[in-house]
Amino acid sequence: MKKIESFIKNRKFFWSCILTLLFVAQFLIINPIGNFALNDSWVHADTIKHLLETGEFRMIPWAEPTFYIPILYGFFVAKLFGFSFTLFRITTLVLSFLLLLVLYIFLLEVSKQPILSFLFSLVLWLSPIFYNLSFTFMTSIPALFCLLLSMFFYYKGFTQNEDKFLLLGSLISLAGFFIRQTNILLWFAGITYYLWCFFQNFNDDERNKYSIMFKKLIKLFIIPLLLFTGVYLSLYFFNLLPQNLAKAHLKQINLSFLVHFFHWSWFYLSYSALFLSPILCGILVTQKNFFHSIKYWLLTSFSLFFSLIFNFSWSSRYEKIGNIINQFGLGPYRVIQGNLEIFLTEDFFLLLDLLAGICFGSLLYLIWVKFDKIEHDLNFIIIFFLTYLGVVSSVVAFDRYILPITLSVLIILASVIKQFNVNYKVTFCCILIIGIFSISQTQHYIEWNRVRTKFANSVLDNKVPATKIDAGVEWNGVHDYWNVAHTKIKPTESKPWWIQDMFSANTEEYVVSFSKFDKYNILKQKQLDSWFNPNNEIYLLEKSKK
């Protein structure tokens, strides 16, 4: 028995195999196959589809990410196997899996503890935002993979003093800009830490040594930046940059900006701690001396106070701008018509905010008491964390922007975890609870999108024009965006936001909805094969002729 326990605790390969098996096993519960767009996947896939059909590069005018790398690999996949949202979804799932393996290896280097590295990887994977986005063709997962890979190479470069790893870190972080703009902030963090080390060790008696280091700075950071600048300017001169690049996200600096900054920075910090709660709980049950510390109670009380302010001053956030986490579950729900039943109540979010506050206070205390134990060569991640937090809290933001913050804190926490005992059973139980929520609600989100698409396509197959079918943002976007993109028809009555903003020519003769409507006949209805969520019926409606 002891030999088995020793094998489980110490064998690095064993835990990577378990991680792989669990990743594959998820498909016994969730079926990723289906030619339908999830979230904003249709915006990114539209460029690929147009490139395949015409050879012309075209972006939807209000697209904001610089998602050229996903376009490239998406184009080659579609060229080989045909255009399909299933294939695009699989590419993201593959990247999610590779990300988890790289994270496991990275955390193993930092913590030297295989089982903890495995549990940390599960924490990120089964967090609601990461898990839901792993089934989309959004830029979040590819950008996070690129970010993690460049972090890993920077870390190896700084710890081993290896130029090749630093160069790879710079190249990958700058390449990450062409998935999501914020990835370039890691290059800034890398060069800042390099310069900090340079000047900290500067000595007039060793000028020749520092001349060599300066040349390395040029080779490892500046030349990659020049290559990046060349690619960016080429895109600019050929008019291939997104038309809405950065403009829609900028906010004016005034009192409302300060309120916005507080709301989002607190959300990102406290909910990152909440997503790490399995690890924090596993530590707290073994470190009872924390509860005898005045500092611990002061930090926790401070966090709870701000969580209450956060909750009462921004209680409507999950209805309006949650994107992934909202009052109806996971994933955007206000994208098709119908009366939705609230699944996650205001009381639930109050409890969640309070738990987030406790977790953040505990995390602060844990890092405070062991701050000197954080590896110096992870300081570039701290620089990135602070820079990224300042940027994403200053713009029009979404909850999905939390992922790089959660990843950064996870790695820093792995550096100090060696100083504590962790109750693995408690940690695993907490991961299981969060995982059940993430998996069940993502499965529900995928299922209603599957049925929504099937219903709308059945009408389209009967030669009904797409302009007469309202199946919500994603379906309308895939089938009818460019046909009505320049149509300016003012709606004559109250319409859904996507009809008013994008599809004003849509007559809504057929509607896919979460509920029945007056003046509409039911053509089809389907009970969803999903768990827990009360919004489990989809209707296909036809406008009454009377």
Side-chain angles (χ1 to χ4, degrees), residues 249-301:
H249 276 352
L250 298 177
K251 291 186 71 69
Q252 292 183 341
I253 298 178
N254 49 31
L255 181 59
S256 65
F257 166 82
L258 295 176
V259 173
H260 172 92
F261 185 87
F262 164 73
H263 280 156
W264 278 107
S265 58
W266 186 254
F267 169 79
Y268 291 138
L269 290 170
S270 61
Y271 271 68
S272 285
L274 180 66
F275 294 154
L276 299 179
S277 59
I279 303 296
L280 297 173
C281 290
I283 294 173
L284 288 175
V285 296
T286 64
Q287 303 294 318
K288 296 181 181 178
N289 59 312
F290 279 17
F291 302 110
H292 301 297
S293 169
I294 295 176
K295 287 180 182 178
Y296 175 79
W297 289 110
L298 282 174
L299 286 172
T300 306
S301 300

Side-chain angles (χ1 to χ4, degrees), residues 213-329:
M213 288 184 70
F214 184 75
K215 290 177 181 177
K216 285 186 177 182
L217 177 73
I218 300 296
K219 180 179 73 172
L220 303 177
F221 293 96
I222 304 304
I223 290 177
L225 181 64
L226 292 175
L227 291 173
F228 159 80
T229 305
V231 175
Y232 183 86
L233 289 176
S234 299
L235 293 169
Y236 174 78
F237 286 126
F238 286 101
N239 199 28
L240 296 176
L241 290 173
Q243 296 179 31
N244 212 27
L245 184 64
K247 293 179 183 177
H249 276 352
L250 298 177
K251 291 186 71 69
Q252 292 183 341
I253 298 178
N254 49 31
L255 181 59
S256 65
F257 166 82
L258 295 176
V259 173
H260 172 92
F261 185 87
F262 164 73
H263 280 156
W264 278 107
S265 58
W266 186 254
F267 169 79
Y268 291 138
L269 290 170
S270 61
Y271 271 68
S272 285
L274 180 66
F275 294 154
L276 299 179
S277 59
I279 303 296
L280 297 173
C281 290
I283 294 173
L284 288 175
V285 296
T286 64
Q287 303 294 318
K288 296 181 181 178
N289 59 312
F290 279 17
F291 302 110
H292 301 297
S293 169
I294 295 176
K295 287 180 182 178
Y296 175 79
W297 289 110
L298 282 174
L299 286 172
T300 306
S301 300
F302 165 84
S303 296
L304 281 171
F305 173 72
F306 273 96
S307 288
L308 284 172
I309 295 175
F310 172 77
N311 181 273
F312 293 131
S313 63
W314 204 26
S315 59
S316 64
R317 66 195 180 280
Y318 295 103
E319 179 181 358
K320 296 179 180 177
I321 49 179
N323 193 250
I324 305 299
I325 301 177
N326 57 73
Q327 59 189 352
F328 308 111

